[in-house]
Amino acid sequence: MAKFYTRSAVVFVMLLLLPFVLIGQQRTGNIVEYFGKEKVEDIHEGKVIHVFNKALALTIPRFGFESSSFPEDPVFDKFLMEPNAHVREGEVFDIDFFGRELKWSAIKVDSSNSFSGRDLRSGYVYLTYNSGSEKTVLFEASGHSLASINGYPYEGDHYDFGWNLIPLKLKKGKNVFVLKVGRFPRIRARLLEPKAEVQFTTRDLTVPDLLMEEDMEYKAAIRVINTSGNWLKKYAIEAKVNGKELTTKIADIPPFTVYKIPFSIPSSTVDTSMAKVNVDLGLVQSNGQLVSAETLALNVKSKYKHHKRTFISDIDKSVQYYSVAPDKSGNTEGGAIFLSVHGASVEAVNQANAYKQKDWGNLVAPTNRRPYGFAWEDWGRLDALEVLADSKRLFKPDNSKIYLTGHSMGGHGTWYLGATYPDHFAAIAPCAGYPDLLLYRGSRTERLLEMTEEQRERFGISPKLFERMTAEVVPTAVENIVERAGTPSRTVKLIRNYLHHGVYVLHGEKDNVVPTRLARDMRERLGTFHPDFTYYEYPGGKHWYGNHSVDWDPIFNLFKARTIPEIKDIKNLEFSTGSPGVSASSHFITIHQQDIPFEISSFDFSWDAIFKIETKNVSLLEVDFSQLPSEIKSIELNGKEFGIPSQEKMFFKESEGVWTIVSKPSLWEKGPHRNGGFKDAFRNDVVFVYATKGSKAENDWYYNKARFDADTFWYKANGNIELVADTNFSPKDYPNRNVVIYGNKSNNAAWDKLLKNSPVQVFNSKLNFGNRSLTGSNWGLYFIVPRADSDFASVGVVTATGPKGMKAAYANHYLVNGTTFPDLMLFDETVLAQGTSAVKCAGFFGNDWSIEKGDFEWE
């Protein structure tokens, strides 16, 4: 039988469409709603002027493997490249590999005014609206993952929350809306006449609980709708509670956008007899004129009971929350911290509520930035670290008593975070978790392989289709290097990092969501080397069998018996990482640079008679001798002995197989502070700077592309990213912040301010890659380089040589978990239709950020 080729950059899309994969959803309905995220039904932002009740639908079969970094999307390719394109009922879009015509067919809404049905899976919905004049509306839709409106991309409402409101100006005549169906096969779409040009909306608030025992300012966030064609400048939000008032100046809001704005709530003494307290908000102009008002009813809680707290994230200065199950003894210092990470669709509040309060520590549950978020990778990983840091600041724990657990996707988060930051935790307990996203996806293929031909036929999988689905895929050199960017997420490759701590594996015996075989596989792997793990299958347990699916006494008993060791007691230490920019250190040893970027790098330390370190794929290593309890006279590094002149931090560099002692590396070089991978641009209070010096078409596109990325980061990451026009950008006004440039040297006035000395230069109709030049208007490019005026900030670039490349660069799968992006990816205008095969170059800059010392592959 042909083997399945499994890699990080692929998604076995067809399996996602099979009914047996969707059994859990069929039993529970919309699992987002089921877990407490109620869909917004009421409209307060205006009146409905049109309900879309007729449409055309198209289903595009997805067979075999497809890149998740550059998934093929021929439908959006058509409507973005041809913004005036129209279709009609019965029109043939393409044929599938059986030779069957793929036609646009007419559909109507059901009784809930939604387009629904299994036929919409992997589908698109085409809507039109004829407007008698230009007019401003709010397009309200739900259930879609993406939208194209008159040829421009817009973020969708993947999880059917009902959050999306898109301000836009309809053109006179026919307006075309193309929606890509999301997680659930139902779409609802309406047009609203906004009640005001600028207004609050309470869809998707982030608010804290007000705590009886604490008199402090709180952070919260509310969305502001700007349906005007002008920037909102010098606005502020006034918050009033219990006679106290606090004004927060807010960042400028772009035209035709909805922005989630942080604000402060004044400190005040709350009435302990009240379950809720009203906070009155006003959006005011600089002249004091009130533009919009809203009243929020916030919960009043005791800090000694379950509650939620908010904080400002360093990723983008947005407001995030985490939930707490506090130590029931009331102790605030010297206890343990239990970091509990939730499963897909679960709110952090519900995660914490599943636990009874403990008498020896505080349990904190971060959000992963959203109920689905990023599977605790990428920005979910950073959220977990921020919450851990904030809870340490707040509760002042015994730092040797930090523990990690989680369920389902959070079980994966436990495996992943435990392997990535092993010295952070004394013990970990993954519950119903998959260790690696690829193994989880691979388990679905195993189910298919285990079926008989007759069983597969019942799911519509003919022998010919099965052959196509199981065909061997041989990756190209470019695809291999793209996949390599995902090495930091390959948890199983980091498995020996679990030697840092005790492990308790809990899984239901009959789990059909995360198959029990995945837990058994990890039991077998751990059994070959790990001396301190416990494995337990709950008899008859399915995926969730009550709160004891997570709040399991034996887990906390194991935790209580383990602490993070003191450095003086560490005689053996193994550590691996896929990238120093993700994870670089364990205790007193740090990997600064790799020989081969984004391959596994490791060190193996032992200290008996000799202080000894063996490394693999490490070119720069730091040892902090100041942390060690006694004076070290010499060490053996990869077989070579070095005298140690002082008990301070020392750096060792390998060049052509020879190790030497060197001075502290320049911060300009790659290292833990700034190591690349294109996704790394989207942190560190990132700001988006868009082009305005090109043609009207270029300027419109790059503004809308930056707005689209900001909207995506709001929806997926509860984010708040500032947009700035290139002509308004001055580096001194945004010091040490990451910047993402939209445009090229010919049309973005900020290019030379940030990228004058970049090894990659992009113009209209030409790009220079070191000494190599490419001509044409069809090239699109993503890349990341250091920000020259900062020791740690980066510049990300979304660029193109012309209109075709510009539109090909529309997709922002770099803001999706499970996707892999090296430092640079070059592609042509066919990428939407052909996927990864249209990527012509990918790779990593050298440790000095040069092309010459980098690792690139060309197609």
Side-chain angles (χ1 to χ4, degrees):
M1 178 177 292
K3 69 178 182 180
F4 280 87
Y5 183 82
T6 305
R7 60 184 191 269
S8 62
V10 297
V11 181
F12 198 39
V13 181
M14 183 60 190
L15 288 176
L16 297 178
L17 306 179
L18 297 179
F20 69 85
V21 177
L22 300 166
I23 290 173
Q25 293 178 18
Q26 292 169 357
R27 288 180 176 172
T28 62
N30 183 332
I31 59 176
V32 179
E33 295 170 4
Y34 182 79
F35 282 102
K37 179 60 70 176
E38 296 293 338
K39 181 175 179 177
V40 175
E41 298 290 350
D42 296 333
I43 296 174
H44 301 285
E45 300 83 4
K47 65 179 181 180
V48 177
I49 60 172
H50 180 73
V51 176
F52 290 94
N53 53 27
K54 296 180 181 180
L56 299 179
L58 176 71
T59 298
I60 302 291
R62 310 282 187 185
F63 301 121
F65 294 103
E66 184 180 326
S67 166
S68 56
S69 298
F70 285 94
E72 297 172 13
D73 196 336
V75 176
F76 266 62
D77 179 51
K78 177 180 179 65
F79 287 100
L80 295 179
M81 294 295 183
E82 304 173 37
N84 295 318
H86 300 289
V87 298
R88 62 185 185 277
E89 182 180 357
E91 182 174 322
V92 176
F93 179 80
D94 202 348
I95 59 172
D96 65 17
F97 75 90
F98 289 117
R100 298 177 301 201
E101 293 180 328
L102 303 176
K103 295 181 179 181
W104 290 96
S105 57
I107 56 172
K108 295 181 179 181
V109 296
D110 58 21
S111 58
S112 66
N113 280 328
S114 298
F115 302 102
S116 60
R118 185 167 293 181
D119 289 344
L120 286 185
R121 296 195 190 282
S122 189
Y124 297 80
V125 173
Y126 173 90
L127 307 168
T128 60
Y129 179 78
N130 284 299
S131 179
S133 62
E134 283 192 355
K135 62 182 175 183
T136 298
V137 297
L138 289 170
F139 178 63
E140 188 227 42
S142 58
H144 59 303
S145 61
L146 287 171
S148 168
I149 303 177
N150 291 333
Y152 289 107
Y154 289 84
E155 179 59 20
D157 184 19
H158 311 238
Y159 303 118
D160 206 20
F161 292 157
W163 286 347
N164 270 28
L165 292 166
I166 297 174
L168 57 93
K169 180 174 284 188
L170 295 175
K171 62 184 181 181
K172 183 178 180 179
K174 181 179 284 189
N175 294 264
V176 174
F177 306 76
V178 182
L179 309 185
K180 187 173 184 177
V181 179
R183 186 182 184 94
F184 308 105
R186 62 172 180 256
I187 295 284
R188 184 181 68 189
R190 303 182 284 202
L191 294 178
L192 313 181
E193 180 182 302
K195 69 179 182 182
E197 194 172 60
V198 178
Q199 60 179 303
F200 286 130
T201 176
T202 56
R203 304 188 193 206
D204 185 35
L205 297 168
T206 299
V207 295
D209 291 332
L210 304 185
L211 302 178
M212 300 174 186
E213 301 84 3
E214 295 190 357
D215 186 5
M216 64 178 186
E217 288 184 10
Y218 298 87
K219 301 298 182 183
I222 188 170
R223 293 166 73 207
V224 175
I225 303 172
N226 178 13
T227 61
S228 78
N230 301 313
W231 283 78
L232 304 185
K233 297 185 176 183
K234 298 182 180 180
Y235 277 60
I237 294 178
E238 295 177 346
K240 299 177 182 179
V241 58
N242 293 334
K244 299 286 186 70
E245 182 175 331
L246 188 61
T247 299
T248 304
K249 294 180 180 180
I250 66 175
D252 297 345
I253 300 176
F256 294 108
T257 59
V258 183
Y259 252 62
K260 192 164 186 179
I261 303 297
F263 66 93
S264 297
I265 298 172
S267 61
S268 67
T269 303
V270 297
D271 185 343
T272 58
S273 67
M274 303 288 288
K276 291 183 180 292
V277 167
N278 286 341
V279 177
D280 296 318
L281 300 182
L283 181 65
V284 295
Q285 293 178 313
S286 57
N287 61 6
Q289 181 178 349
L290 180 67
V291 176
S292 184
E294 194 65 63
T295 298
L296 309 181
L298 302 191
N299 292 324
V300 176
K301 298 286 184 71
S302 168
K303 72 175 185 179
Y304 301 113
K305 300 295 183 181
H306 289 75
H307 63 273
K308 64 177 179 177
R309 294 176 176 267
T310 53
F311 68 98
I312 298 293
S313 169
D314 287 336
I315 297 171
D316 56 356
K317 300 306 180 189
S318 61
V319 176
Q320 306 295 325
Y321 88 86
Y322 61 95
S323 196
V324 182
D327 189 323
K328 69 179 180 182
S329 68
N331 293 333
T332 58
E333 297 185 14
I337 284 182
F338 314 107
L339 187 70
S340 179
V341 291
H342 64 72
S345 85
V346 179
E347 283 282 357
V349 167
N350 293 346
Q351 181 75 5
N353 286 345
Y355 293 89
K356 297 176 182 176
Q357 293 174 252
K358 309 305 175 190
D359 61 4
W360 62 288
N362 297 281
L363 183 138
V364 295
T367 64
N368 189 30
R369 282 293 187 117
R370 285 296 193 192
Y372 286 92
F374 302 96
W376 300 104
E377 302 179 16
D378 300 321
W379 301 274
R381 164 180 63 85
L382 296 177
D383 179 66
L385 293 180
E386 287 192 322
V387 168
L388 182 59
D390 195 66
S391 58
K392 283 184 174 183
R393 176 194 61 79
L394 182 67
F395 297 118
K396 298 177 174 59
D398 178 339
N399 283 322
S400 71
K401 297 179 180 178
I402 310 297
Y403 307 93
L404 173 66
T405 187
H407 180 265
S408 191
M409 181 182 73
H412 163 65
T414 303
W415 284 120
Y416 170 72
L417 295 168
T420 304
Y421 304 106
D423 63 343
H424 286 37
F425 307 104
I428 67 172
C431 306
Y434 50 94
D436 189 297
L437 187 59
L438 289 189
L439 288 179
Y440 184 42
R441 291 170 175 167
S443 71
R444 294 169 175 171
T445 69
E446 290 179 19
R447 297 187 202 184
L448 187 62
L449 289 169
E450 291 172 356
M451 287 183 176
T452 65
E453 183 176 313
E454 182 181 356
Q455 289 173 322
R456 288 193 292 268
E457 288 276 9
R458 287 206 297 269
F459 292 116
I461 303 173
S462 67
K464 186 174 182 179
L465 177 56
F466 180 70
E467 180 182 355
R468 171 72 64 106
M469 294 169 68
T470 55
E472 183 176 6
V473 178
V474 179
T476 66
V478 167
E479 289 171 332
N480 278 332
I481 209 164
V482 171
E483 176 192 351
R484 207 167 87 200
T487 300
S489 296
R490 301 287 69 80
T491 308
V492 174
K493 291 185 177 182
L494 308 177
I495 193 168
R496 293 190 69 85
N497 285 356
Y498 298 130
L499 286 169
H500 281 67
H501 34 54
V503 179
Y504 193 109
V505 183
L506 177 64
H507 215 98
E509 178 191 14
K510 297 182 179 180
D511 190 335
N512 64 348
V513 176
V514 179
T516 309
R517 68 164 68 91
L518 296 178
R520 293 171 183 168
D521 176 72
M522 285 302 287
R523 176 186 62 189
E524 296 303 313
R525 293 175 189 263
L526 292 173
T528 64
F529 71 93
H530 202 296
D532 183 25
F533 79 94
T534 299
Y535 179 89
Y536 184 73
E537 282 183 22
Y538 191 83
K542 296 185 179 179
H543 192 57
W544 179 262
Y545 43 86
N547 286 351
H548 53 295
S549 302
V550 290
D551 194 8
W552 181 241
D553 285 344
I555 285 176
F556 289 89
N557 293 338
L558 180 139
F559 284 177
K560 201 165 192 177
R562 284 152 185 82
T563 56
I564 298 173
E566 296 184 40
I567 287 180
K568 67 181 179 62
D569 296 323
I570 298 175
K571 301 302 180 185
N572 294 279
L573 185 62
E574 293 185 42
F575 173 76
S576 298
T577 181
S579 165
V582 174
S583 174
S585 302
S586 177
H587 297 288
F588 54 93
I589 302 176
T590 301
I591 296 172
H592 276 257
Q593 293 177 358
Q594 302 172 289
D595 286 320
I596 303 174
F598 283 73
E599 288 283 16
I600 293 295
S601 299
S602 65
F603 65 75
D604 187 347
F605 160 76
S606 61
W607 189 8
D608 192 4
I610 302 172
F611 189 104
K612 184 177 180 181
I613 302 175
E614 297 286 337
T615 69
K616 293 180 180 178
N617 193 36
V618 176
S619 65
L620 183 62
L621 189 76
E622 174 191 339
V623 182
D624 187 356
F625 292 101
S626 67
Q627 294 191 43
L628 299 173
S630 58
E631 187 174 354
I632 307 298
K633 298 293 186 182
S634 66
I635 72 168
E636 182 182 304
L637 175 59
N638 291 329
K640 181 176 179 179
E641 186 173 348
F642 290 88
I644 304 303
S646 64
Q647 303 302 297
E648 299 175 352
K649 293 180 180 180
M650 293 191 64
F651 298 88
F652 303 85
K653 189 173 182 63
E654 180 270 334
S655 178
E656 297 182 355
V658 178
W659 284 88
T660 56
I661 296 175
V662 297
S663 58
K664 184 178 180 180
S666 167
L667 290 173
W668 177 255
E669 297 180 12
K670 283 189 173 182
H673 62 296
R674 181 169 58 188
N675 196 59
F678 181 67
K679 286 184 172 185
D680 198 51
F682 297 86
R683 64 175 182 92
N684 191 34
D685 195 14
V686 62
V687 57
F688 291 173
V689 179
Y690 61 91
T692 68
K693 305 300 284 185
S695 67
K696 184 180 186 305
E698 288 176 316
N699 295 344
D700 287 349
W701 182 267
Y702 281 120
Y703 169 75
N704 277 284
K705 169 59 177 162
R707 184 263 314 145
F708 172 49
D709 281 6
D711 285 349
T712 297
F713 205 72
W714 156 69
Y715 188 89
K716 293 181 179 296
N718 194 23
N720 170 47
I721 296 181
E722 186 176 357
L723 264 64
V724 179
D726 54 355
T727 51
N728 294 330
F729 177 81
S730 173
K732 65 181 177 60
D733 294 334
Y734 300 86
N736 291 312
R737 291 174 65 177
N738 283 14
V739 179
V740 177
I741 290 284
Y742 293 84
N744 63 34
K745 187 179 177 74
S746 301
N747 54 41
N748 192 305
W751 186 281
D752 281 347
K753 297 174 184 178
L754 295 167
L755 297 164
K756 185 176 182 179
N757 298 315
S758 167
V760 179
Q761 295 290 323
V762 184
F763 311 81
N764 283 342
S765 301
K766 187 180 82 167
L767 69 86
N768 294 335
F769 180 85
N771 295 325
R772 186 191 304 247
S773 291
L774 299 175
T775 58
S777 63
N778 60 323
W779 299 108
L781 187 66
Y782 307 141
F783 68 93
I784 183 172
V785 291
R787 180 170 167 174
D789 60 346
S790 174
D791 286 338
F792 55 85
S794 299
V795 180
V797 185
V798 177
T799 185
T801 59
K804 290 182 179 179
M806 186 175 68
K807 292 187 176 184
Y810 105 90
N812 54 19
H813 294 276
Y814 42 77
L815 298 178
V816 178
N817 76 286
T819 59
T820 58
F821 287 81
D823 292 349
L824 178 145
M825 296 182 79
L826 170 70
F827 45 89
D828 66 21
E829 80 280 12
T830 66
V831 72
L832 294 179
Q834 298 182 15
T836 306
S837 63
V839 177
K840 303 305 179 183
C841 178
F844 302 91
F845 295 109
N847 286 323
D848 61 354
W849 289 99
S850 72
I851 290 174
E852 293 75 18
K853 295 184 179 180
D855 188 359
F856 296 93
E857 294 287 353
W858 289 80
E859 182 98 336

